[in-house]
Amino acid sequence: MREASLVLAIDLGTSAVKTALVSLAGEALAVETRPIRTRLLPGGGAEQDPEQWWEATCDAARATVAAVPQSAERTIAVACTTQWAVTVPVDRSGHHLGPAISWMDSRGAPYVRRAVSGFPQIMGYQVYKLWQWVRLTGGCPSRAGVDGFAHILFLQHERPEIYRAAHKFVEPMDYLNARLTGKVAASFGTMFPYWLTDNRDPHRIAYHPQLLAWSGIDPEKLPPLYPVGSVVGELLPEVAEQLGLSPRIPVVAGSCDGQAAALGAGSVQDFAGYFYVGSTAWMSCHVPRKKTDLRHMLTTMPAALPGRYVVMAEQGMAGRFLEVIKDNVLLPAGDPAVAFPNDVYGYLNELAASVAAGSEGVLFTPWVNGILVPADDPFTRATLANFTHRTTRAHLVRAVFEGVAFNLRWLREHVEKFVGQPFPKLRFIGGGAMSDLWCQMFADVLGVPIERVASPRAANAVGAALAAFFALGRASLEDLERAVRVDRTFVPDDKRRVEYDRCYAEFRHLYRLLKPTYRRWNRGRAKRQRLIPAENR
């Protein structure tokens, strides 16, 4: 029955939750998806409803289990992987006390800057504090306020009633685990984006008293830490009944999407590179040791495999720009005069494919919330540049596709230097890989063969399931690597590469040209915003 065993994997992203029943062969036998909403607020706020997460997860999981014969008997574990740098305040039973603060939320930035500042300083950080943070954690709290460190400080200062009432603050995967098992806990990997743990030994990670003191965060508000691959607990009987599963099924400690994705891409060996494009984008690989490049905001985090690290190089919004341009430019939501195509994203793909490489000079820079990596620049913004009277919606859409690809090329240069060797090829996963056009575009822009894995949309869920098989002793590393198949390889086209090299040079030049303007304009806006009382923002 080894091959017949299944893991129920839950992949909670920014815009949707997917559930899949995954076999040891890496096959997703059934997949269900439910949408997730984000509420954008004045002053840089971005929140989601954890109850919607839970309801969508249960609904999708129930349908997934029902779709596979004998799934209740064959399912040996549940494993969650989710978006991260998202903070949920919970009570003792693991139920939320307020909205989840998204990775897009920057309202805690002023409090982070106060916590990390001092004399003498570099890059806005007091020198000794910065040295300690990098030495212990591998990175440091973002002065842009887009991580768990900032979120807790925001609650502490501007939502004190929630801060006081909270039993613990947890990441989304740990929130789901708490609802599944009734146990509030975190793993060595999932608490990484709070920058409060000593990560020097991946087998022995713990909260560090000096970092806690600098943060001002009550250590009692932080969840206990479990080793990667631990079993948090068993499904609560009422949850098992709701999902259609047998009781007493173990729930394996969750992982960040970047940790699970490395396994879902088949990038099990050190330095085997891959990239992901969904709502967000990143490029990564496993590495044998902890490392940091602070100048380019690159670091490593504990991997989903015990004793390993994985490169952390997430760029923020990517595929979600197609949703933004769809709703705000091309097909305004709620406009009765606009008829939506049945397949909106297929329509956008066709529009982009109708225009030649280079979009006739139209350039898009995908930095709507500033730049995370490879430059810590919270003030630069997205730009659509070089319009003419001949520019059409097809040019705009293609420019968005290409801008995301150019941004990944910029990142790739620094990730390769960081790991100390080039990527002769790259695996591609995420919803963006469903587009043949985008796959070929990445091959042309990056200049290396792009291997699209089978079922790229389910790669995070597959990775979470494979990590669970490994944690329970049901699979070896070789089994994990063999489980991920390549669907198609896209080879660079020399003619398009020449055009994209020229466009990429202008893409980089546009950043250097506009950076001072954006900094001057948006830093002033941020200062003015902070003068508005919190209750009026």
Side-chain angles (χ1 to χ4, degrees):
M1 292 296 292
R2 180 173 179 266
E3 287 72 21
S5 298
L6 301 172
V7 169
L8 175 62
I10 298 168
D11 173 19
L12 171 65
T14 303
S15 57
V17 59
K18 298 183 187 72
T19 58
L21 278 169
V22 182
S23 71
L24 182 54
E27 183 181 5
L29 302 185
V31 179
E32 291 284 337
T33 303
R34 301 292 184 271
I36 297 295
R37 293 185 300 273
T38 301
R39 189 164 64 112
L40 300 179
L41 304 169
E47 297 177 348
Q48 293 188 334
D49 179 6
E51 191 60 33
Q52 189 200 19
W53 292 351
W54 179 245
E55 291 174 359
T57 296
C58 291
D59 187 53
R62 193 163 47 244
T64 302
V65 170
V68 178
Q70 298 181 308
S71 55
E73 295 78 16
R74 297 168 62 188
T75 301
I76 63 168
V78 177
C80 299
T81 182
T82 71
Q83 57 177 314
W84 55 289
V86 179
T87 302
V88 188
V90 298
D91 62 19
R92 291 183 180 275
S93 66
H95 287 71
H96 58 283
L97 297 173
I101 303 180
S102 168
W103 57 266
M104 294 181 279
D105 193 300
S106 59
R107 290 174 293 178
Y111 309 109
V112 176
R113 292 168 190 162
R114 187 184 307 164
V116 302
S117 66
F119 180 82
Q121 67 176 250
I122 182 173
M123 300 169 60
Y125 296 86
Q126 200 272 344
V127 172
Y128 178 69
K129 290 181 180 179
L130 180 62
W131 176 74
Q132 280 284 72
W133 249 301
V134 171
R135 184 177 73 89
L136 296 170
T137 72
C140 54
S142 168
R143 297 178 73 249
V146 290
D147 54 30
F149 186 96
H151 299 159
I152 296 180
L153 292 184
F154 165 75
L155 292 173
Q156 186 182 58
H157 288 87
E158 299 195 25
R159 303 290 187 272
E161 69 287 353
I162 294 179
Y163 181 85
R164 287 193 298 269
H167 172 57
K168 304 291 182 184
F169 296 102
V170 295
E171 284 279 304
M173 67 291 287
D174 299 319
Y175 169 77
L176 291 179
N177 281 352
R179 295 294 299 266
L180 291 166
T181 67
K183 295 183 179 179
V184 180
S187 80
F188 291 171
T190 61
M191 280 305 290
F192 174 82
Y194 288 80
W195 308 109
L196 297 171
T197 52
D198 184 343
N199 303 316
R200 289 174 294 177
D201 181 348
H203 297 287
R204 298 177 60 188
I205 291 176
Y207 297 112
H208 194 276
Q210 180 64 81
L211 305 182
L212 289 166
W214 284 334
S215 73
I217 295 170
D218 181 355
E220 294 299 316
K221 300 284 186 183
L222 301 174
L225 297 177
Y226 283 46
V228 170
S230 297
V231 171
V232 175
E234 296 176 342
L235 280 181
L236 293 169
E238 60 270 25
V239 173
E241 182 179 4
Q242 185 177 6
L243 301 185
L245 292 173
S246 303
R248 303 185 66 82
I249 289 177
V251 176
V252 178
S255 61
C256 301
D257 50 17
Q259 295 160 334
L263 301 182
S267 297
V268 176
Q269 300 299 322
D270 288 341
F271 313 116
Y274 80 95
F275 66 99
Y276 170 97
V277 176
S279 294
T280 61
W282 65 79
M283 186 174 291
S284 186
C285 65
H286 281 101
V287 290
R289 61 187 63 85
K290 173 179 165 293
K291 187 177 180 181
T292 301
D293 173 2
L294 195 61
R295 181 182 176 190
H296 298 106
M297 303 304 291
L298 293 168
T299 188
T300 55
M301 58 182 173
L305 298 174
R308 305 273 293 283
Y309 292 95
V310 68
V311 174
M312 187 182 96
E314 186 161 357
Q315 291 191 306
M317 270 198 201
R320 193 164 186 190
F321 283 115
L322 294 177
E323 183 179 342
V324 170
I325 199 170
K326 167 180 72 72
D327 291 341
N328 299 327
V329 179
L330 303 181
L331 303 168
D335 187 342
V338 176
F340 275 68
N342 291 330
D343 179 4
V344 174
Y345 293 103
Y347 167 69
L348 296 178
N349 196 79
E350 289 176 7
L351 280 179
S354 70
V355 175
S359 305
E360 291 192 28
V362 179
L363 274 175
F364 173 69
T365 65
W367 306 316
V368 69
N369 286 328
I371 302 174
L372 300 177
V373 289
D376 184 17
D377 180 356
F379 301 114
T380 291
R381 293 292 179 263
T383 304
L384 270 166
N386 207 30
F387 279 50
T388 74
H389 65 284
R390 293 186 299 274
T391 299
T392 67
R393 66 179 65 191
H395 292 97
L396 299 182
V397 174
R398 175 137 195 154
V400 169
F401 275 76
E402 291 175 343
V404 173
F406 294 146
N407 211 33
L408 260 293
R409 175 168 169 174
W410 187 18
L411 177 61
R412 178 194 166 205
E413 295 171 5
H414 295 286
V415 173
E416 287 182 332
K417 290 178 183 176
F418 182 72
V419 303
Q421 54 186 277
F423 296 133
K425 61 182 180 180
L426 286 162
R427 292 278 177 94
F428 186 10
I429 61 171
M434 299 296 292
S435 165
D436 287 358
L437 173 70
W438 224 348
C439 290
Q440 185 61 55
M441 190 181 292
F442 276 112
D444 297 336
V445 170
L446 299 175
V448 296
I450 301 299
E451 297 180 340
R452 178 174 63 193
V453 307
S455 303
R457 265 203 182 116
N460 286 1
V462 169
L466 293 177
F469 279 119
F470 183 79
L472 296 175
R474 301 294 189 98
S476 66
L477 291 179
E478 292 75 18
D479 291 329
L480 304 191
E481 197 168 18
R482 283 195 299 266
V484 179
R485 296 183 298 104
V486 172
D487 165 65
R488 180 177 168 186
T489 299
F490 296 80
V491 180
D493 178 276
D494 290 339
K495 291 183 180 179
R496 287 192 293 265
R497 278 194 66 191
V498 171
E499 174 64 15
Y500 281 137
D501 286 346
R502 185 183 68 81
C503 294
Y504 175 68
E506 294 302 329
F507 176 89
R508 293 292 308 278
H509 179 68
L510 191 62
Y511 170 60
R512 291 189 291 269
L513 188 68
L514 292 177
K515 179 181 177 180
T517 300
Y518 279 125
R519 182 176 183 83
R520 186 169 56 251
W521 178 243
N522 290 317
R523 183 166 57 178
R525 287 171 61 85
K527 287 180 178 177
R528 291 192 295 274
Q529 183 67 41
R530 287 199 294 273
L531 295 177
I532 302 173
E535 63 271 15
N536 295 332
R537 290 180 190 167

